[in-house]
Amino acid sequence: MTATRERVIETFQEEHRQTRDKCLELSDAIEAGDLDRAEELVREIDAAAGPHFQYEEDALYPALIPFFGEEKVKELVAEHDEAIEAAETLAELTGQDSLSEGEKQEALRALPNIMVHVSDCDGLTVYLEKADDAVFEGIAQSMDEASEQGLTLTEYDRTVRPSPEEIVA
């Protein structure tokens, strides 16, 4: 395994682990009514997910088209849409001074839309490993560029995010 290939796969998986852990901690904070901690975790998820979603949509998802086809990749992008909507809902709710029981339940219902991305997307590694070295070079470059830009998830969505059709083009 080349160093670039190894770095891409390890980074990809570690980012998913970190998001998993933050989501589980966020669930606990919401349950406990600790909105200060919940709001902090939502900001951390937003900051980490921006570059991650950006390189996924820029380089990783297009690399998966030979394995799954354009329609499945568009479904993966739709999962991103759900995760972004969930992140926006969570930011709105955790930014309040307190949550009603209904708002707490709304937050807890939104959270799995981020968590499902972690589990579903991480499984793509099994297929990605079959891509050639040039694909990994492109993903690594996109990872570096997205990290350098440092857009949060919500900034990425509002400013430079391509349409599903552009991703599969």
Side-chain angles (χ1 to χ4, degrees), residues 90-154:
L90 288 163
E92 180 182 320
L93 291 170
T94 61
Q96 300 177 159
D97 292 333
S98 65
L99 293 179
S100 69
E101 187 58 35
E103 290 169 328
K104 180 193 279 189
Q105 294 309 311
E106 181 182 357
L108 293 172
R109 281 190 307 272
L111 194 50
N113 287 328
I114 297 171
M115 295 171 72
V116 75
H117 169 73
V118 171
S119 62
D120 289 355
C121 194
D122 201 64
L124 299 174
T125 306
V126 173
Y127 292 94
L128 183 61
E129 290 172 335
K130 292 294 189 180
D132 63 31
D133 289 341
V135 168
F136 280 92
E137 292 294 334
I139 294 169
Q141 181 178 347
S142 183
M143 278 180 163
D144 294 341
E145 290 170 359
S147 179
E148 187 176 303
Q149 276 186 306
L151 298 174
T152 66
L153 182 57
T154 49

Side-chain angles (χ1 to χ4, degrees), residues 41-63:
L41 287 161
V42 169
R43 279 195 306 271
E44 290 174 12
I45 291 167
D46 189 38
H52 182 84
F53 276 38
Q54 189 172 352
Y55 78 74
E56 280 183 341
E57 292 183 352
D58 178 57
L60 191 140
Y61 284 3

Side-chain angles (χ1 to χ4, degrees), residues 16-74:
H16 285 139
R17 285 184 198 99
Q18 290 172 3
T19 301
R20 173 204 61 202
D21 293 346
K22 287 185 189 315
C23 285
L24 293 172
E25 190 177 346
L26 176 57
S27 178
D28 291 344
I30 292 168
E31 286 280 1
D34 185 351
L35 289 182
D36 289 337
R37 181 65 182 141
E39 186 176 23
E40 179 182 332
L41 287 161
V42 169
R43 279 195 306 271
E44 290 174 12
I45 291 167
D46 189 38
H52 182 84
F53 276 38
Q54 189 172 352
Y55 78 74
E56 280 183 341
E57 292 183 352
D58 178 57
L60 191 140
Y61 284 3
L64 294 171
I65 293 171
F67 299 107
F68 298 113
E70 290 181 6
E71 287 309 308
K72 179 60 180 174
V73 170
K74 286 180 183 178

